[in-house]
Amino acid sequence: MSRLFSVFVAFVASFLLIGSAQAEVKVLTSIKPLQLIATAVQDGVAIPEVLLPPGASPHNYALRPSDVRKVQSVDLLYWIGPDMEGFLPRVLNGRTLPSVAVQDLPGMKLRRFAEDSHSHAEEADEHDHDHRPGTLDAHLWLSPVNARVIADKMAADLSAADPANAERYQSNAKAFDGRLDALDARLKKRLAGIEGKPYFVFHEAFDYFEEAYGLKHAGVFSVAAEVQPGAQHVAAMRKRLQEVGKTCVFSEPPLRPRLAETLVAGLPVKLAELDALGGYTPATAQGYEQVLEKLGNDLAGCLESL
């Protein structure tokens, strides 16, 4: 009887050891685009979690107690950095497991908001007050070059944390890199016909994407969501649109600024949306490409329809 019991104990112990060795590495990202890159790397092994729900702003998100517990407990955490998720540094101070601010990764191609970004002092009506000249443009995930750097870092981290699946992570990162090559070619072809066409945005979030594909917005109509601009402010913005003629003005989902309809009333201007975060994109290996492809199609589609 004791021999049978010893065999049983040995079996249970070996089972627990195998289970421990194969324990899933828990990955959490701050925003959806990072989750989509991580999903491509973890494809076939696990699905990473994302902190912000669809529609939430990474600039001013309010963490719930459950969010704080999740941040403290996951094995690997990826975020853009303090220039984007200003709510995270305080919570991360108490975290002992690895946290990666991708804006600090070697090889990242970073931009800074410039004085000549159509937000000059003499054009105060178009100034994006949250994006002061000289500060880091943290919307870095919209550059395919940066997405490759992030994927490679995730693959390296996951391979170290989960050696049993290291080959899979590296293979997935290589496949992601190849899909980005194909995506880049498609986007260059899709956007070639709209180079030089003027358009306006409500938020200066797309400079990385524009730089990659030879585009440039003509102005930024930055308006705080809780503040209704005065008549003089609106008149100045309408004058700029009248000077340009047929054009598109893009807001970001889920909210369209309250003055949007007033701003374009009676003008040959179309209102449309560009989604930089892809909040409702399914977490699949191809999700990141879908966000950028939709961005390109929505941009080109509006400008081509004028």
Side-chain angles (χ1 to χ4, degrees):
M1 183 73 175
S2 61
R3 176 177 170 76
L4 287 174
F5 180 75
S6 297
V7 171
F8 174 75
V9 170
F11 172 77
V12 171
S14 63
F15 178 80
L16 290 174
L17 285 172
I18 292 172
S20 175
Q22 295 179 344
E24 179 182 307
V25 177
K26 298 290 186 182
V27 174
L28 176 68
T29 70
S30 58
I31 60 174
K32 191 59 175 273
L34 292 180
Q35 184 201 27
L36 297 176
I37 297 173
T39 301
V41 176
Q42 287 191 285
D43 186 38
V45 180
I47 298 177
E49 292 187 86
V50 62
L51 188 61
L52 268 65
S57 170
H59 294 294
N60 52 23
Y61 183 65
L63 288 168
R64 300 166 298 180
S66 59
D67 294 328
V68 175
R69 290 192 294 270
K70 188 179 294 184
V71 166
Q72 298 292 357
S73 64
V74 293
D75 300 304
L76 293 170
L77 185 145
Y78 297 90
W79 60 309
I80 300 297
D83 292 275
M84 176 61 67
E85 307 97 329
F87 61 89
L88 266 182
R90 181 178 58 84
V91 180
L92 292 179
N93 284 337
R95 178 175 160 80
T96 58
L97 295 166
S99 303
V100 178
V102 300
Q103 71 179 42
D104 297 329
L105 293 179
M108 295 293 285
K109 304 299 182 184
L110 301 178
R111 295 177 50 89
R112 293 189 177 273
F113 293 107
E115 291 286 354
D116 59 351
S117 62
H118 297 280
S119 295
H120 296 292
E122 65 268 26
E123 296 173 352
D125 58 296
E126 292 173 20
H127 186 71
D128 192 333
H129 296 281
D130 292 329
H131 298 158
R132 294 182 299 276
T135 60
L136 177 69
D137 181 351
H139 306 85
L140 51 83
W141 65 88
L142 292 178
S143 163
V145 171
N146 289 339
R148 296 176 201 269
V149 175
I150 295 168
D152 287 345
K153 172 60 175 173
M154 290 176 171
D157 291 346
L158 285 162
S159 296
D162 180 18
N165 287 305
E167 186 175 344
R168 183 63 178 266
Y169 298 133
Q170 296 299 328
S171 175
N172 285 345
K174 185 176 181 179
F176 179 66
D177 189 73
R179 292 198 305 273
L180 287 186
D181 285 338
L183 171 68
D184 187 59
R186 292 196 305 272
L187 284 172
K188 284 178 178 176
K189 182 178 180 180
R190 179 73 178 94
L191 298 169
I194 63 169
E195 290 183 16
K197 288 192 174 183
Y199 59 92
F200 294 79
V201 295
F202 279 105
H203 177 207
E204 194 169 8
F206 308 99
D207 289 34
Y208 284 95
F209 187 82
E210 293 172 340
E211 182 179 55
Y213 298 105
L215 307 173
K216 188 69 186 84
H217 55 268
V220 183
F221 295 143
S222 179
V223 180
E226 70 279 7
V227 178
Q228 188 68 14
Q232 186 176 357
H233 192 151
V234 174
M237 288 190 284
R238 280 180 58 83
K239 181 181 178 182
R240 185 70 192 276
L241 290 173
Q242 288 171 331
E243 291 171 351
V244 170
K246 291 183 178 180
T247 189
C248 293
V249 177
F250 295 99
S251 60
E252 290 180 84
L255 298 177
R256 174 174 288 177
R258 288 178 294 172
L259 88 158
E261 300 292 342
T262 302
L263 187 62
V264 305
L267 300 178
V269 176
K270 288 191 174 183
L271 292 174
E273 290 184 338
L274 294 178
D275 188 358
L277 287 168
Y280 292 95
T281 305
T284 67
Q286 293 76 33
Y288 176 80
E289 299 104 274
Q290 292 170 4
V291 170
L292 261 65
E293 193 135 38
K294 186 176 188 306
L295 190 63
N297 285 333
D298 289 345
L299 184 59
C302 185
L303 293 173
E304 289 169 348
S305 69
L306 296 174

XYZ file of all heavy atoms in Angstrom, residues 171-265:
742
model
N 9.298 32.919 -34.103
C 8.674 32.664 -35.397
C 7.512 33.635 -35.643
O 7.342 34.156 -36.750
C 8.179 31.224 -35.462
O 7.462 30.976 -36.654
N 6.729 33.887 -34.596
C 5.605 34.826 -34.715
C 6.092 36.246 -35.004
O 5.486 36.969 -35.807
C 4.781 34.827 -33.426
C 3.909 33.598 -33.277
O 3.684 32.857 -34.239
N 3.427 33.357 -32.071
N 7.173 36.648 -34.339
C 7.714 37.995 -34.573
C 8.216 38.123 -36.010
O 8.035 39.169 -36.654
C 8.839 38.289 -33.589
N 8.819 37.072 -36.518
C 9.300 37.087 -37.904
C 8.131 37.159 -38.876
O 8.171 37.900 -39.872
C 10.135 35.840 -38.180
C 10.779 35.826 -39.556
C 11.679 34.613 -39.732
C 12.333 34.617 -41.112
N 13.234 33.440 -41.299
N 7.057 36.418 -38.588
C 5.868 36.460 -39.446
C 5.222 37.841 -39.403
O 4.754 38.359 -40.432
C 4.872 35.388 -39.005
N 5.185 38.459 -38.229
C 4.644 39.810 -38.074
C 5.442 40.791 -38.918
O 4.882 41.645 -39.615
C 4.694 40.197 -36.596
C 4.177 41.578 -36.284
C 2.847 41.899 -36.454
C 5.031 42.553 -35.786
C 2.361 43.178 -36.152
C 4.571 43.822 -35.471
C 3.235 44.133 -35.656
N 6.751 40.656 -38.888
C 7.630 41.519 -39.669
C 7.326 41.391 -41.161
O 7.258 42.391 -41.889
C 9.089 41.152 -39.395
C 10.058 42.149 -39.991
O 10.173 43.258 -39.455
O 10.693 41.820 -41.007
N 7.110 40.160 -41.619
C 6.782 39.948 -43.025
C 5.434 40.542 -43.404
O 5.286 41.125 -44.494
N 4.459 40.439 -42.509
C 3.140 41.019 -42.791
C 3.207 42.538 -42.827
O 2.479 43.180 -43.593
C 2.119 40.548 -41.755
C 1.786 39.063 -41.823
C 0.483 38.742 -41.098
N 0.474 39.191 -39.727
C 0.935 38.482 -38.695
N 1.474 37.295 -38.905
N 0.867 38.958 -37.461
N 4.089 43.124 -42.012
C 4.249 44.574 -42.049
C 4.844 45.028 -43.372
O 4.510 46.107 -43.873
C 5.117 45.047 -40.883
C 4.478 45.019 -39.492
C 5.404 45.658 -38.471
C 3.128 45.709 -39.469
N 5.740 44.239 -43.938
C 6.275 44.568 -45.263
C 5.149 44.633 -46.288
O 5.079 45.560 -47.113
C 7.309 43.527 -45.700
C 8.643 43.689 -44.980
O 8.917 44.794 -44.477
O 9.403 42.704 -44.923
N 4.265 43.631 -46.242
C 3.144 43.592 -47.188
C 2.180 44.746 -46.927
O 1.676 45.376 -47.864
C 2.415 42.249 -47.076
N 1.916 45.035 -45.666
C 1.034 46.144 -45.311
C 1.608 47.464 -45.797
O 0.882 48.306 -46.356
C 0.851 46.195 -43.794
C 0.126 47.426 -43.234
C -1.333 47.423 -43.644
C 0.256 47.492 -41.710
N 2.888 47.663 -45.602
C 3.546 48.893 -46.021
C 3.379 49.113 -47.530
O 3.083 50.223 -47.979
C 5.024 48.823 -45.649
C 5.745 50.138 -45.889
O 5.339 51.151 -45.299
O 6.704 50.150 -46.674
N 3.547 48.046 -48.286
C 3.386 48.154 -49.741
C 1.951 48.509 -50.111
O 1.707 49.342 -50.998
C 3.799 46.842 -50.406
N 0.980 47.895 -49.429
C -0.432 48.188 -49.723
C -0.774 49.629 -49.381
O -1.474 50.314 -50.129
C -1.351 47.242 -48.941
C -1.296 45.794 -49.379
C -2.492 45.006 -48.848
N -2.650 45.076 -47.403
C -2.067 44.243 -46.541
N -1.230 43.305 -46.990
N -2.292 44.348 -45.237
N -0.302 50.096 -48.242
C -0.620 51.463 -47.823
C 0.023 52.494 -48.739
O -0.601 53.515 -49.059
C -0.176 51.679 -46.377
C -1.063 51.047 -45.296
C -0.422 51.167 -43.930
C -2.450 51.675 -45.292
N 1.244 52.249 -49.157
C 1.894 53.195 -50.069
C 1.114 53.300 -51.379
O 0.945 54.402 -51.930
C 3.334 52.754 -50.333
C 4.265 53.042 -49.164
C 5.673 52.540 -49.430
C 6.592 52.883 -48.252
N 7.951 52.316 -48.425
N 0.624 52.196 -51.861
C -0.172 52.203 -53.086
C -1.518 52.892 -52.861
O -1.967 53.695 -53.688
C -0.385 50.768 -53.571
C -1.160 50.663 -54.868
C -1.289 49.205 -55.303
C -2.076 49.091 -56.609
N -2.201 47.666 -57.053
N -2.137 52.609 -51.721
C -3.464 53.156 -51.421
C -3.418 54.664 -51.219
O -4.357 55.391 -51.607
C -4.005 52.500 -50.145
C -5.390 52.990 -49.695
C -6.445 52.434 -50.610
N -7.777 52.842 -50.205
C -8.411 53.905 -50.685
N -7.810 54.692 -51.577
N -9.636 54.190 -50.295
N -2.353 55.168 -50.615
C -2.288 56.576 -50.239
C -1.558 57.450 -51.249
O -1.524 58.677 -51.093
C -1.605 56.703 -48.869
C -2.350 56.013 -47.710
C -1.474 55.966 -46.465
C -3.662 56.699 -47.412
N -1.004 56.845 -52.268
C -0.226 57.615 -53.246
C -1.044 58.708 -53.913
O -0.532 59.782 -54.226
C 0.356 56.677 -54.297
N -2.341 58.469 -54.117
C -3.174 59.419 -54.843
C -3.630 60.623 -54.043
O -4.225 61.553 -54.604
N -3.378 60.638 -52.717
C -3.873 61.764 -51.910
C -2.729 62.618 -51.356
O -2.972 63.514 -50.536
C -4.765 61.276 -50.751
C -3.966 60.393 -49.784
C -5.992 60.556 -51.291
C -4.719 60.115 -48.494
N -1.507 62.363 -51.775
C -0.391 63.186 -51.313
C -0.621 64.647 -51.710
O -0.963 64.943 -52.854
C 0.920 62.685 -51.913
C 1.373 61.340 -51.367
C 2.708 60.917 -51.936
O 3.411 61.780 -52.505
O 3.041 59.721 -51.827
N -0.471 65.528 -50.773
C -0.645 66.952 -51.044
C -2.051 67.460 -50.852
O -2.268 68.681 -50.844
N -3.028 66.556 -50.698
C -4.405 67.013 -50.462
C -4.539 67.501 -49.013
O -4.163 66.793 -48.081
C -5.404 65.886 -50.734
C -5.573 65.568 -52.213
C -6.777 64.660 -52.437
C -7.035 64.451 -53.926
N -8.242 63.642 -54.189
N -5.092 68.700 -48.814
C -5.193 69.233 -47.454
C -6.341 68.590 -46.671
O -7.395 68.275 -47.228
C -5.464 70.725 -47.687
C -6.170 70.768 -48.997
C -5.587 69.649 -49.827
N -6.118 68.406 -45.402
C -7.173 67.938 -44.497
C -6.827 68.427 -43.097
O -5.698 68.849 -42.815
C -7.315 66.417 -44.527
C -6.064 65.663 -44.153
C -5.821 65.268 -42.836
C -5.120 65.336 -45.122
C -4.674 64.573 -42.493
C -3.967 64.639 -44.792
C -3.752 64.262 -43.479
O -2.607 63.584 -43.145
N -7.817 68.377 -42.209
C -7.656 68.900 -40.857
C -8.013 67.821 -39.838
O -8.793 66.917 -40.124
C -8.572 70.125 -40.642
C -8.200 71.309 -41.492
C -8.572 71.368 -42.832
C -7.477 72.370 -40.959
C -8.232 72.454 -43.624
C -7.130 73.465 -41.746
C -7.512 73.504 -43.078
N -7.433 67.937 -38.645
C -7.718 66.992 -37.568
C -8.058 67.771 -36.306
O -7.708 68.939 -36.160
C -6.511 66.063 -37.307
C -6.252 65.167 -38.514
C -5.255 66.856 -36.953
N -8.762 67.108 -35.393
C -9.072 67.714 -34.104
C -8.021 67.373 -33.052
O -8.048 67.905 -31.945
C -10.448 67.261 -33.609
C -11.591 68.026 -34.217
C -12.386 67.457 -35.202
C -11.874 69.318 -33.811
C -13.440 68.154 -35.766
C -12.926 70.030 -34.361
C -13.712 69.452 -35.349
N -7.114 66.461 -33.397
C -6.108 66.008 -32.442
C -4.864 65.620 -33.225
O -4.939 64.830 -34.162
C -6.652 64.793 -31.667
C -5.681 64.193 -30.699
N -5.746 62.863 -30.346
C -4.623 64.716 -30.015
C -4.774 62.600 -29.475
N -4.089 63.702 -29.263
N -3.730 66.192 -32.852
C -2.493 65.932 -33.594
C -1.908 64.583 -33.176
O -0.929 64.492 -32.440
C -1.484 67.055 -33.354
C -0.336 67.022 -34.348
C 0.518 68.278 -34.287
O 0.305 69.103 -33.382
O 1.395 68.425 -35.151
N -2.533 63.512 -33.686
C -2.157 62.160 -33.273
C -1.564 61.317 -34.389
O -1.122 60.199 -34.138
C -3.394 61.437 -32.722
N -1.509 61.836 -35.614
C -1.243 60.980 -36.761
C 0.080 61.262 -37.473
O 0.320 60.776 -38.573
C -2.410 61.107 -37.762
C -3.741 60.875 -37.121
C -4.538 61.945 -36.734
C -4.192 59.593 -36.876
C -5.766 61.738 -36.120
C -5.411 59.370 -36.266
C -6.198 60.441 -35.889
N 0.951 62.034 -36.837
C 2.184 62.452 -37.503
C 3.095 61.286 -37.879
O 3.767 61.326 -38.915
C 2.941 63.446 -36.624
C 2.260 64.799 -36.538
O 1.022 64.825 -36.556
O 2.954 65.826 -36.468
N 3.156 60.249 -37.054
C 3.997 59.092 -37.383
C 3.490 58.407 -38.655
O 4.276 58.031 -39.527
C 4.002 58.081 -36.230
C 4.853 58.484 -35.054
C 4.300 59.138 -33.957
C 6.218 58.198 -35.016
C 5.071 59.497 -32.862
C 7.004 58.547 -33.924
C 6.425 59.203 -32.847
O 7.195 59.560 -31.769
N 2.193 58.226 -38.729
C 1.589 57.602 -39.908
C 1.788 58.488 -41.130
O 2.142 58.007 -42.217
C 0.098 57.370 -39.647
C -0.603 56.593 -40.726
C -0.548 55.214 -40.764
C -1.337 57.248 -41.708
C -1.199 54.493 -41.750
C -1.986 56.551 -42.696
C -1.923 55.162 -42.721
N 1.577 59.787 -40.953
C 1.746 60.726 -42.066
C 3.187 60.733 -42.573
O 3.430 60.727 -43.787
C 1.331 62.133 -41.618
C -0.151 62.269 -41.326
C -0.497 63.610 -40.695
O 0.409 64.284 -40.138
O -1.668 63.995 -40.748
N 4.132 60.724 -41.669
C 5.534 60.739 -42.071
C 5.888 59.483 -42.857
O 6.646 59.536 -43.835
C 6.433 60.853 -40.841
C 7.915 60.921 -41.172
C 8.778 61.059 -39.942
O 8.654 60.217 -39.027
O 9.585 62.009 -39.883
N 5.334 58.363 -42.464
C 5.636 57.095 -43.136
C 5.105 57.070 -44.563
O 5.682 56.402 -45.429
C 5.064 55.933 -42.333
N 4.010 57.825 -44.829
C 3.350 57.711 -46.131
C 3.225 59.035 -46.884
O 2.384 59.194 -47.756
C 1.985 57.030 -45.951
C 2.191 55.634 -45.409
C 1.927 55.337 -44.073
C 2.736 54.639 -46.218
C 2.182 54.071 -43.568
C 2.989 53.373 -45.715
C 2.719 53.098 -44.394
O 2.994 51.845 -43.897
N 4.069 59.999 -46.533
C 4.155 61.226 -47.306
C 2.944 62.122 -47.222
O 2.608 62.820 -48.188
N 2.276 62.152 -46.077
C 1.074 62.970 -45.896
C 1.344 64.055 -44.849
O 2.299 63.978 -44.083
C -0.094 62.102 -45.443
C -0.411 60.882 -46.305
C -1.483 60.032 -45.647
C -0.838 61.303 -47.703
N 0.470 65.063 -44.791
C 0.585 66.100 -43.762
C -0.743 66.820 -43.621
O -1.303 67.315 -44.599
C 1.668 67.119 -44.113
C 1.955 68.098 -42.967
C 2.626 67.374 -41.804
C 2.807 68.272 -40.588
N 1.596 68.336 -39.747
N -1.266 66.874 -42.395
C -2.501 67.614 -42.161
C -2.233 69.111 -42.328
O -1.115 69.592 -42.106
C -3.052 67.318 -40.769
C -2.084 67.576 -39.662
N -1.236 66.604 -39.150
C -1.811 68.706 -38.954
C -0.500 67.121 -38.190
N -0.824 68.392 -38.045
N -3.272 69.845 -42.711
C -3.131 71.283 -42.958
C -3.347 72.109 -41.705
O -2.991 73.291 -41.676
C -4.127 71.720 -44.035
N -3.923 71.507 -40.666
C -4.161 72.248 -39.438
C -4.773 71.371 -38.375
O -5.293 70.286 -38.657
N -4.696 71.843 -37.140
C -5.235 71.116 -35.989
C -6.260 71.999 -35.297
O -5.926 73.082 -34.807
C -4.122 70.739 -34.985
C -4.696 69.928 -33.827
C -3.011 69.963 -35.678
N -7.505 71.559 -35.269
C -8.554 72.287 -34.557
C -8.694 71.671 -33.168
O -9.570 70.839 -32.929
C -9.885 72.206 -35.308
C -9.866 72.885 -36.648
C -10.559 72.342 -37.720
C -9.179 74.067 -36.839
C -10.561 72.971 -38.961
C -9.163 74.701 -38.074
C -9.860 74.149 -39.138
N -7.799 72.037 -32.272
C -7.796 71.453 -30.936
C -8.795 72.192 -30.058
O -8.661 73.383 -29.824
C -6.397 71.543 -30.325
O -6.401 71.013 -29.031
N -9.781 71.437 -29.577
C -10.824 72.029 -28.747
C -11.089 71.111 -27.572
O -11.340 69.925 -27.748
C -12.137 72.233 -29.536
C -13.199 72.849 -28.642
C -11.892 73.120 -30.748
N -11.001 71.646 -26.354
C -11.282 70.846 -25.172
C -12.733 70.387 -25.196
O -13.632 71.160 -25.506
C -10.995 71.658 -23.907
N -12.941 69.114 -24.860
C -14.282 68.529 -24.966
C -15.297 69.238 -24.078
O -16.472 69.311 -24.396
C -14.221 67.037 -24.600
N -14.809 69.766 -22.927
C -15.753 70.365 -21.983
C -15.929 71.863 -22.193
O -16.668 72.509 -21.461
C -15.267 70.094 -20.545
C -14.012 70.838 -20.137
C -12.741 70.159 -20.630
O -12.853 69.180 -21.394
O -11.648 70.625 -20.265
N -15.252 72.431 -23.186
C -15.322 73.876 -23.404
C -15.892 74.164 -24.790
O -15.403 73.644 -25.785
C -13.925 74.519 -23.273
C -14.009 76.007 -23.560
C -13.347 74.267 -21.887
N -16.901 74.979 -24.853
C -17.469 75.396 -26.126
C -16.767 76.682 -26.564
O -16.828 77.688 -25.855
C -18.980 75.636 -26.000
C -19.683 75.892 -27.316
C -19.727 74.667 -28.217
O -19.459 73.567 -27.767
N -20.058 74.852 -29.484
N -16.059 76.683 -27.676
C -15.307 77.874 -28.091
C -16.237 79.031 -28.425
O -17.391 78.839 -28.809
C -14.551 77.385 -29.333
C -15.364 76.252 -29.858
C -15.939 75.584 -28.649
N -15.711 80.219 -28.307
C -16.492 81.399 -28.593
C -16.690 81.621 -30.084
O -16.056 80.965 -30.922
N -17.548 82.577 -30.421
C -17.894 82.842 -31.814
C -16.673 83.274 -32.621
O -16.516 82.893 -33.790
C -18.976 83.914 -31.878
N -15.785 84.046 -32.016
C -14.599 84.512 -32.728
C -13.678 83.336 -33.072
O -13.109 83.277 -34.172
C -13.856 85.536 -31.867
C -12.671 86.185 -32.588
C -12.017 87.276 -31.749
O -12.474 87.582 -30.650
N -10.953 87.859 -32.264
N -13.557 82.424 -32.146
C -12.730 81.235 -32.359
C -13.289 80.401 -33.517
O -12.556 79.990 -34.425
C -12.705 80.417 -31.062
C -11.685 79.324 -31.050
N -11.106 78.881 -29.902
C -11.165 78.563 -32.050
C -10.254 77.912 -30.182
N -10.284 77.699 -31.478
N -14.577 80.149 -33.492
C -15.215 79.355 -34.548
C -15.090 80.060 -35.896
O -14.822 79.419 -36.924
C -16.700 79.098 -34.212
C -17.405 78.395 -35.370
C -16.813 78.269 -32.937
N -15.271 81.363 -35.901
C -15.166 82.115 -37.157
C -13.766 81.995 -37.753
O -13.599 81.865 -38.972
C -15.507 83.582 -36.908
N -12.740 82.014 -36.905
C -11.369 81.886 -37.389
C -11.131 80.507 -38.003
O -10.458 80.377 -39.039
C -10.393 82.133 -36.246
N -11.694 79.473 -37.379
C -11.543 78.123 -37.921
C -12.283 77.975 -39.237
O -11.788 77.361 -40.193
C -12.024 77.092 -36.893
C -11.089 76.947 -35.709
S -11.508 75.545 -34.640
C -12.923 76.190 -33.759
N -13.490 78.538 -39.313
C -14.267 78.472 -40.554
C -13.551 79.213 -41.686
O -13.564 78.767 -42.838
C -15.672 79.051 -40.336
C -16.630 78.075 -39.658
C -18.008 78.691 -39.458
N -18.607 79.137 -40.718
C -19.276 78.334 -41.565
N -19.384 77.031 -41.301
N -19.813 78.837 -42.663
N -12.911 80.330 -41.345
C -12.170 81.073 -42.363
C -11.059 80.222 -42.954
O -10.830 80.235 -44.170
C -11.603 82.352 -41.756
C -10.829 83.205 -42.763
C -10.262 84.464 -42.109
C -9.457 85.273 -43.127
N -8.846 86.484 -42.503
N -10.381 79.477 -42.101
C -9.300 78.617 -42.592
C -9.853 77.543 -43.537
O -9.252 77.237 -44.573
C -8.578 77.961 -41.407
C -7.360 77.150 -41.831
C -6.238 78.058 -42.322
N -5.192 77.275 -42.988
C -4.206 76.664 -42.353
N -4.130 76.743 -41.042
N -3.308 75.987 -43.030
N -10.986 76.977 -43.196
C -11.604 75.971 -44.056
C -12.046 76.578 -45.386
O -11.908 75.956 -46.447
C -12.799 75.330 -43.342
C -12.467 74.418 -42.160
C -13.746 73.980 -41.444
C -11.687 73.191 -42.620
N -12.586 77.790 -45.353
C -13.003 78.461 -46.576
C -11.814 78.706 -47.499
O -11.922 78.579 -48.724
C -13.694 79.787 -46.239
C -15.074 79.621 -45.622
C -15.625 80.939 -45.094
O -14.869 81.822 -44.689
N -16.951 81.076 -45.091
N -10.671 79.038 -46.923
C -9.473 79.287 -47.717
C -9.003 78.022 -48.438
O -8.516 78.081 -49.561
C -8.351 79.810 -46.809
C -8.603 81.207 -46.257
C -7.594 81.590 -45.193
O -6.811 80.706 -44.758
O -7.578 82.772 -44.788
N -9.192 76.893 -47.804
C -8.720 75.622 -48.378
C -9.692 75.087 -49.421
O -9.288 74.518 -50.437
C -8.499 74.582 -47.257
C -8.242 73.198 -47.847
C -7.324 75.013 -46.382
N -10.984 75.269 -49.194
C -11.988 74.736 -50.124
C -12.390 73.330 -49.757
O -12.547 73.006 -48.579
N -12.552 72.472 -50.769
C -12.976 71.096 -50.507
C -11.930 70.379 -49.654
O -10.754 70.314 -50.011
C -13.177 70.339 -51.820
C -14.360 70.822 -52.642
C -14.523 69.966 -53.891
C -15.732 70.426 -54.698
N -15.907 69.591 -55.932
N -12.391 69.841 -48.542
C -11.464 69.159 -47.639
C -12.226 68.262 -46.676
O -13.463 68.229 -46.678
C -10.614 70.183 -46.857
O -9.591 69.487 -46.147
C -11.453 70.988 -45.877
N -11.500 67.547 -45.850
C -12.079 66.697 -44.808
C -11.558 67.157 -43.447
O -10.411 67.594 -43.324
C -11.679 65.239 -45.013
S -12.370 64.460 -46.501
N -12.411 67.041 -42.444
C -12.023 67.300 -41.061
C -12.257 66.010 -40.288
O -13.375 65.493 -40.244
C -12.831 68.452 -40.442
C -12.454 68.636 -38.979
C -12.598 69.746 -41.214
N -11.200 65.487 -39.679
C -11.265 64.189 -39.010
C -11.261 64.337 -37.489
O -10.414 65.029 -36.921
C -10.067 63.323 -39.415
C -10.043 62.941 -40.866
C -9.251 63.646 -41.762
C -10.802 61.886 -41.333
C -9.206 63.297 -43.102
C -10.771 61.524 -42.679
C -9.978 62.229 -43.565
N -12.225 63.683 -36.871
C -12.229 63.546 -35.416
C -11.884 62.100 -35.082
O -11.727 61.266 -35.967
C -13.601 63.917 -34.840
O -14.611 63.071 -35.378
N -11.758 61.807 -33.784
C -11.453 60.447 -33.344
C -12.635 59.876 -32.567
O -13.212 60.559 -31.726
C -10.211 60.442 -32.449
C -8.916 60.742 -33.171
C -7.735 60.711 -32.221
O -7.212 59.624 -31.968
O -7.349 61.789 -31.736
N -12.996 58.617 -32.843
C -14.062 57.999 -32.068
C -13.593 57.778 -30.618
O -12.393 57.713 -30.361
C -14.277 56.671 -32.800
C -12.965 56.372 -33.459
C -12.401 57.708 -33.838
N -14.527 57.716 -29.676
C -15.969 57.595 -29.891
C -16.706 58.938 -29.922
O -17.901 58.971 -30.167
C -16.408 56.792 -28.658
C -15.473 57.253 -27.581
C -14.153 57.467 -28.270
N -16.009 60.045 -29.658
C -16.699 61.332 -29.560
C -16.302 62.254 -30.694
O -15.138 62.307 -31.088
C -16.369 61.998 -28.221
C -16.789 61.242 -26.962
C -16.316 61.994 -25.731
C -18.290 61.042 -26.925
N -17.283 62.990 -31.207
C -17.020 64.048 -32.179
C -17.210 65.381 -31.465
O -18.206 65.569 -30.761
C -17.985 63.943 -33.358
C -17.879 65.082 -34.362
C -18.764 64.842 -35.572
N -18.217 63.779 -36.407
C -18.819 63.308 -37.502
N -19.983 63.801 -37.873
N -18.263 62.344 -38.195
N -16.260 66.304 -31.587
C -16.403 67.604 -30.911
C -17.753 68.253 -31.198
O -18.267 68.183 -32.319
C -15.251 68.424 -31.505
C -14.224 67.403 -31.864
C -15.007 66.207 -32.340
N -18.298 68.898 -30.180
C -19.652 69.445 -30.299
C -19.765 70.509 -31.371
O -20.833 70.716 -31.933
C -20.091 70.018 -28.946
C -20.398 68.956 -27.899
C -20.787 69.580 -26.580
N -19.668 70.299 -25.975
C -19.792 71.061 -24.895
N -20.978 71.237 -24.343
N -18.730 71.677 -24.384
N -18.655 71.205 -31.663
C -18.762 72.284 -32.634
C -18.571 71.802 -34.069
O -18.620 72.610 -35.005
C -17.715 73.365 -32.332
C -16.315 73.197 -32.958
C -15.615 74.537 -33.016
C -15.513 72.163 -32.264
N -18.350 70.495 -34.283
C -17.988 69.997 -35.609
C -19.016 70.387 -36.673
O -18.664 70.896 -37.743
C -17.804 68.486 -35.574
N -20.280 70.138 -36.402
C -21.320 70.431 -37.391
C -21.404 71.930 -37.674
O -21.565 72.355 -38.823
C -22.677 69.910 -36.903
C -22.737 68.411 -36.651
C -22.619 67.607 -37.931
O -22.837 68.172 -39.026
O -22.306 66.400 -37.843
N -21.283 72.736 -36.622
C -21.302 74.191 -36.794
C -20.116 74.657 -37.615
O -20.233 75.544 -38.469
C -21.271 74.886 -35.416
O -22.397 74.451 -34.650
C -21.290 76.396 -35.564
N -18.985 74.026 -37.395
C -17.745 74.420 -38.049
C -17.819 74.262 -39.563
O -17.317 75.100 -40.315
C -16.596 73.583 -37.491
C -15.182 73.937 -37.908
C -14.825 75.350 -37.462
C -14.198 72.937 -37.320
N -18.472 73.202 -40.036
C -18.464 72.904 -41.473
C -19.767 73.262 -42.165
O -19.891 73.085 -43.390
C -18.148 71.413 -41.711
C -16.851 71.032 -41.037
C -19.284 70.516 -41.224
N -20.748 73.783 -41.443
C -22.058 74.073 -42.032
C -21.937 75.005 -43.239
O -21.334 76.069 -43.160
C -22.972 74.705 -40.976
